Amino acid sequence: MKIKLVDKTIEINNRYPYIEQYCKNYVSTDCECKSDFIIGISDTDIEYERRKSEAEDIKESIPVRHFTDEYLETLAVYRKIAEQMLSYDTILFHGSVIAVDGEGYLFTAKSGTGKSTHARLWRESFGDRAVMVNDDKPLLRITKDGVIAYGTPWDGKHRLSTNISVPLKGICILERAAKNHIIRLDTKEQIRSAYPMIVQQTHKSTNPANALKTMELIDRLMEAVPIYRLSCNMEPEAAKVAYEGMQG
């Protein structure tokens, strides 16, 4: 199977057919196109994903979930894709990207804060002007002219994504509050305060060279895209406050 992500053709030597359905909206239709890189999955890769998932559940003090090998293969594939994409100045980011009038806005937060709910408020508020790019793990390509956000099949439990790319106009860190308020982080101290969250939400590589490359790309990302902090409730007004606040 071949898929197209970030304008790259990726050949996947999968073990199970499930991922073919999982990636159906991103399958390359050009069978003769040369692959930019090839992904292969072993039993060791699947077992790694199983152990990692179990460790995360234990850390979060929730019952350990038991996933099928077919699903774990999708995680293993995306992990390997993320490693390869670093060579193309592209990082995997944990957050929701929604586009309004063709421009992308990324929302990120601690788990359970309400990223997906906030993105839904945008879709409800802006109607046909809004398009869900990716609700969970978009790819961000950092270029000399700015940052481009891409939809991917790895799009969260509600499977919300579109196979498009949009320029990223802002990154917004969400915090729950009774009243809606947004600020742009424009001083060195403010930007530094956002750094741990940005790092936490970026794919982490166990390869030292790739880890260094990731940190370089994070620095470039934070220089290229304005960063905001949104204190918000889950009322429709939050979408308006966020959108208007990121138009400066």
Side-chain angles (χ1 to χ4, degrees):
M1 177 182 70
K2 290 182 180 180
I3 64 173
K4 197 91 168 182
L5 290 178
V6 195
D7 302 320
K8 304 299 176 187
T9 299
I10 305 164
E11 183 176 341
I12 301 174
N13 293 327
N14 49 302
R15 301 164 64 89
Y16 302 102
Y18 176 70
I19 196 170
E20 297 172 13
Q21 176 67 19
Y22 195 87
C23 298
K24 64 179 182 179
N25 293 329
Y26 295 79
V27 171
S28 174
T29 56
D30 185 356
C31 298
E32 302 300 321
C33 182
K34 181 180 178 181
S35 301
D36 290 287
F37 57 88
I38 301 172
I39 298 295
I41 299 300
S42 67
D43 289 338
T44 301
D45 296 323
I46 292 175
E47 187 58 30
Y48 174 84
E49 297 300 335
R50 192 188 322 279
R51 294 197 309 271
K52 187 174 186 302
S53 175
E54 291 173 353
E56 289 173 351
D57 288 348
I58 292 171
K59 183 178 179 180
E60 295 293 326
S61 299
I62 63 175
V64 173
R65 294 165 295 175
H66 301 284
F67 297 112
T68 65
D69 287 1
E70 288 85 349
Y71 175 72
L72 292 172
E73 181 179 49
T74 69
L75 303 182
V77 165
Y78 203 30
R79 186 177 303 280
K80 291 197 171 188
I81 288 174
E83 295 286 323
Q84 292 283 349
M85 282 295 182
L86 292 169
S87 300
Y88 303 101
D89 289 349
T90 300
I91 55 176
L92 187 164
F93 200 91
H94 184 55
S96 294
V97 175
I98 190 165
V100 174
D101 299 332
E103 294 182 315
Y105 303 86
L106 187 157
F107 301 97
T108 192
K110 294 180 180 179
S111 179
T113 303
K115 297 184 296 294
S116 295
T117 300
H118 190 74
R120 175 177 56 78
L121 293 177
W122 277 54
R123 297 197 304 277
E124 293 173 354
S125 296
F126 296 104
D128 292 342
R129 294 172 59 195
V131 177
M132 197 74 226
V133 180
N134 187 281
D135 198 33
D136 191 33
K137 295 184 177 70
L139 289 169
L140 307 179
R141 181 162 64 93
I142 294 89
T143 77
K144 61 182 179 62
D145 299 317
V147 177
I148 309 298
Y150 290 79
T152 78
W154 290 269
D155 50 12
K157 63 183 179 181
H158 300 299
R159 301 308 314 270
L160 295 174
S161 70
T162 309
N163 189 0
I164 60 172
S165 62
V166 295
L168 189 62
K169 188 167 182 179
I171 297 173
C172 192
I173 299 172
L174 301 183
E175 298 175 346
R176 295 297 292 269
K179 190 174 181 179
N180 296 307
H181 176 66
I182 188 169
I183 61 169
R184 177 171 175 173
L185 308 183
D186 50 11
T187 69
K188 288 184 178 180
E189 183 176 350
Q190 287 174 330
I191 294 173
R192 193 180 303 117
S193 71
Y195 194 79
M197 173 62 73
I198 301 299
V199 171
Q200 179 185 346
Q201 302 297 72
T202 308
H203 167 74
K204 297 170 182 61
S205 176
T206 57
N207 178 296
N210 283 352
L212 286 174
K213 177 67 174 180
T214 300
M215 299 309 292
E216 173 201 326
L217 291 173
I218 288 173
D219 288 341
R220 289 172 55 189
L221 171 68
M222 296 182 72
E223 289 174 1
V225 181
I227 300 174
Y228 302 83
R229 192 177 300 277
L230 175 68
S231 302
C232 64
N233 53 38
M234 291 298 124
E235 299 298 325
E237 182 201 28
K240 181 179 178 181
V241 169
Y243 177 74
E244 293 180 352
M246 290 192 282
Q247 298 309 302

